[in-house]
Amino acid sequence: MLLTLTRDDLKDLFSGPEHFLRRKHVWSIIHPEEDHPLPQKPETTSSPRVVATGPSTADANVGQLKILQLPSPPEYVVYTDSELEQCRKSYLELACSGREQACVMSKELRCRLVRNTITSMVSLLRASQGQMERYPSKTEITAMAKKVVEYYPMLQDNDASVKHESINAKLQKRLQNMKTPVKRQGPTPERGRPKRRLTDLSPRDEEADDEDGDRSSSSSASTLLSPVRNSDDASTSSDKDSWQIQARHYKTLQEMCKKAKPNQEDVSQLLDLEFEARRAFIDSDTMKEENRAHLILEAYPCFKELHHALGELRRILDPHNNKFISQIKLRWEEFCSRVEFYGVSKKAMNPPMTMDKTEAHLALMKALPTLFPTPAHPPKKMGNASEAFLHVLKPTEDRDAVLQKRSLSCPVVMFDGCKCVIAVGNLPVTIFDKEKLGEAMIYVMAYFYALHLTYPKCVATLLSVIQTEVLHDAIHESDTTSSYRKALAEWHAFIGK
């Protein structure tokens, strides 16, 4: 069966760049004619032959054409597979009739070729020299680009004196996305000592490989992802290196947030990379509770966007679940539907059938502290405990004046009948439509987590119930209060849990 194996079969049997030499050795055993081609017999017919110039003559020695021999080891090999070979074969057939310009390599194949060529070069170089942080030089990449366009002539530049310029730029770009950043960066906010974080993040291959050299100014803040290191190498120097890398990501994030319309996906990626250093800064005890929100939002203005606050909630509770926020919204919707019956049974709220959606959401939020009560009373002049997280503005009230009078520094939703504003303490943060009022408590919880704020005592039981029942974030038994245990027992008894 060995003779029936194709290159794709070998890639399935020995996957990964570390087995490249093994696949090459097995292939040379199965097909020795590619490395040592048999001499062609001269044709005896007198009929005229069409001799293709340039690339078609390379078929006589395909194995040697794929090998890049440099003065210093290792010996690099141009990447190929069945689809790329078929594309090359089509080009050579069209070249016989002078129609080679009609053959164009697809974007998918071109990206695959660039990606796997760089991967194989890095693997071969590290395997030959035994250095895990070694990368091919610029000269080696340029030589490989010349070899690639020689083997795949459809990639040559038509209107350029240097035929390999485009493919060389793509190979250099791909290598840059793999390299570890080593340049020292500027200072960041005081953060303490972050723990070492091992991340395995892959750049977006096809987008990065197909971009031209003259990118727009928005790409100036793109990040360089560092390769994964062995956890056995964890030490003081590696911790310092990780801190410096995350400091670089913070600086890039700051520059990106200064733009009028930053790329939100790039901001999210930087927040992922800089997570541990950021949480060490936010969770530190150096900030007073009343100043915490102002200082954090000044350092991370991106949290003024709701989706970034929700993204931080996901990173804290379930970082590997991309559907976490949608799952929370479904659980909150189910929780609210049950709370409506629970509130009616306890006579804490009226049946919502005669109300519109906005009125029903407001009635539910106002009834929540009554359904999950706390012995502590709200601050004076506040009235209902629900004022801790919800305030409906009267026509004569001014929002800023109301915020200045607030004594609590927790997140609150201000509703004026048209739009909703989330404020933290007396600082307005963001605005959302009243159609999303039903999700307001999720936004409030997101800012509690993102800014590491303490629950107000007057609604601590309610927020703890939402934490465990909706967010599925468990509370240690020693941290639970008697009012929380009682409220949760009554709730479970009502829903039959």
Side-chain angles (χ1 to χ4, degrees):
M1 292 181 61
L2 198 61
L3 297 176
T4 64
L5 295 178
T6 64
R7 291 183 184 273
D8 291 335
D9 295 333
L10 289 177
K11 288 177 68 177
D12 292 337
L13 288 171
F14 308 106
S15 60
E18 65 272 12
H19 295 300
F20 175 79
L21 294 177
R22 179 173 296 174
R23 293 197 300 269
K24 179 184 175 185
H25 183 60
V26 174
W27 184 259
S28 64
I29 295 174
I30 301 173
H31 301 282
E33 67 277 3
E34 291 195 5
D35 292 329
H36 305 285
L38 296 176
Q40 300 286 337
K41 292 183 179 181
E43 293 188 359
T44 57
T45 179
S46 59
S47 58
R49 295 178 56 212
V50 178
V51 180
T53 60
S56 61
T57 60
D59 289 340
N61 198 357
V62 177
Q64 291 298 324
L65 190 60
K66 291 189 292 185
I67 297 175
L68 174 61
Q69 183 65 53
L70 297 173
S72 59
E75 187 179 84
Y76 295 119
V77 180
V78 176
Y79 173 79
T80 184
D81 57 25
S82 58
E83 293 183 68
L84 287 168
E85 285 293 343
Q86 182 63 34
C87 181
R88 181 175 181 271
K89 182 179 178 182
S90 300
Y91 177 88
L92 296 178
E93 291 174 353
L94 291 172
C96 294
S97 58
R99 296 184 294 114
E100 63 271 13
Q101 297 296 332
C103 181
V104 179
M105 184 180 290
S106 67
K107 177 181 176 180
E108 180 183 358
L109 288 179
R110 187 168 64 253
C111 292
R112 185 195 306 173
L113 172 63
V114 171
R115 181 170 61 249
N116 289 297
T117 297
I118 291 296
T119 302
S120 65
M121 289 183 71
V122 172
S123 302
L124 286 170
L125 184 61
R126 293 180 177 180
S128 65
Q129 299 189 4
Q131 299 181 18
M132 294 307 296
E133 296 301 324
R134 181 76 166 84
Y135 294 96
S137 65
K138 188 175 182 179
T139 304
E140 293 172 330
I141 295 295
T142 303
M144 176 56 77
K146 295 179 181 178
K147 201 71 177 177
V148 167
V149 298
E150 181 183 349
Y151 192 76
Y152 298 105
M154 71 287 295
L155 295 177
Q156 293 181 359
D157 296 335
N158 295 328
D159 303 326
S161 57
V162 183
K163 298 295 184 181
H164 63 280
E165 186 174 359
S166 295
I167 195 68
N168 182 46
K170 290 177 172 57
L171 291 172
Q172 296 283 2
K173 179 63 180 178
R174 176 62 186 173
L175 179 65
Q176 188 182 27
N177 286 339
M178 295 179 63
K179 279 190 175 183
T180 306
V182 295
K183 184 178 178 181
R184 291 181 62 87
Q185 299 298 320
T188 62
E190 195 66 28
R191 299 169 183 234
R193 191 179 187 82
K195 295 181 180 178
R196 193 175 190 288
R197 185 188 185 197
L198 299 177
T199 54
D200 186 7
L201 295 173
S202 300
R204 298 172 185 173
D205 296 324
E206 294 191 3
E207 294 179 7
D209 295 337
D210 197 58
E211 286 175 347
D212 294 328
D214 51 345
R215 300 180 62 188
S216 61
S217 60
S218 62
S219 64
S220 61
S222 60
T223 59
L224 300 177
L225 305 183
S226 50
V228 179
R229 300 180 182 177
N230 195 331
S231 60
D232 297 333
D233 298 336
S235 61
T236 304
S237 60
S238 63
D239 287 341
K240 181 179 180 181
D241 184 55
S242 175
W243 180 86
Q244 290 176 346
I245 292 173
Q246 295 194 47
R248 176 189 179 279
H249 294 321
Y250 174 77
K251 183 179 179 181
T252 305
L253 178 64
Q254 288 293 87
E255 294 174 354
M256 189 175 297
C257 289
K258 292 177 182 178
K259 297 180 179 180
K261 293 183 179 180
N263 188 313
Q264 300 301 330
E265 292 185 1
D266 291 347
V267 173
S268 296
Q269 185 188 25
L270 287 169
L271 289 173
D272 288 336
L273 295 172
E274 202 248 352
F275 175 76
E276 290 197 358
R278 179 172 66 258
R279 295 320 303 178
F281 163 62
I282 292 176
D283 298 346
S284 63
D285 296 330
T286 57
M287 293 178 284
K288 295 181 179 180
E289 189 74 12
E290 57 270 19
N291 298 329
R292 179 181 295 273
H294 177 77
L295 294 174
I296 295 174
L297 292 175
E298 184 178 5
Y300 295 95
C302 53
F303 286 147
K304 293 181 180 180
E305 301 288 340
L306 266 179
H307 60 278
H308 286 313
L310 292 172
E312 189 75 354
L313 178 66
R314 177 191 61 81
R315 294 183 194 95
I316 295 171
L317 296 182
D318 198 352
H320 304 296
N321 183 4
N322 292 328
K323 298 181 180 179
F324 179 70
I325 300 302
S326 59
Q327 292 172 356
I328 283 181
K329 291 181 179 180
L330 289 176
R331 289 199 294 266
W332 172 251
E333 186 177 350
E334 181 183 0
F335 178 79
C336 289
S337 63
R338 292 182 175 182
V339 166
E340 287 178 350
F341 290 100
Y342 189 49
V344 172
S345 67
K346 288 215 167 196
K347 299 182 180 179
M349 56 185 296
N350 297 322
M353 283 80 74
T354 59
M355 309 178 188
D356 60 24
K357 286 188 176 181
T358 302
E359 292 175 344
H361 293 321
L362 293 174
L364 177 68
M365 294 175 69
K366 291 179 179 179
L368 284 173
T370 305
L371 299 176
F372 304 98
T374 302
H377 296 289
K380 294 180 179 180
K381 298 182 181 180
M382 182 172 285
N384 196 304
S386 63
E387 290 285 328
F389 55 83
L390 172 68
H391 181 81
V392 180
L393 291 169
K394 299 176 183 178
T396 57
E397 284 184 321
D398 178 68
R399 184 192 68 192
D400 295 334
V402 173
L403 288 176
Q404 292 299 324
K405 295 178 181 178
R406 281 182 60 84
S407 58
L408 297 178
S409 57
C410 62
V412 60
V413 177
M414 312 288 290
F415 180 60
D416 62 0
C418 298
K419 61 181 182 296
C420 304
V421 176
I422 290 186
V424 181
N426 54 14
L427 177 67
V429 177
T430 188
I431 300 174
F432 62 96
D433 297 331
K434 71 174 184 178
E435 285 75 14
K436 295 183 178 181
L437 184 60
E439 301 175 355
M441 287 304 299
I442 299 178
Y443 305 154
V444 169
M445 293 299 294
Y447 277 103
F448 268 113
Y449 275 79
L451 306 181
H452 193 64
L453 300 172
T454 305
Y455 293 160
K457 293 183 179 179
C458 57
V459 288
T461 299
L462 166 64
L463 299 180
S464 298
V465 169
I466 295 176
Q467 174 182 334
T468 54
E469 296 298 294
V470 179
L471 304 185
H472 287 183
D473 183 17
I475 300 176
H476 195 275
E477 184 66 25
S478 60
D479 294 330
T480 60
T481 61
S482 58
S483 59
Y484 165 77
R485 291 192 293 268
K486 179 181 177 181
L488 197 62
E490 293 178 357
W491 169 249
H492 286 170
F494 176 79
I495 63 176
K497 189 173 180 179

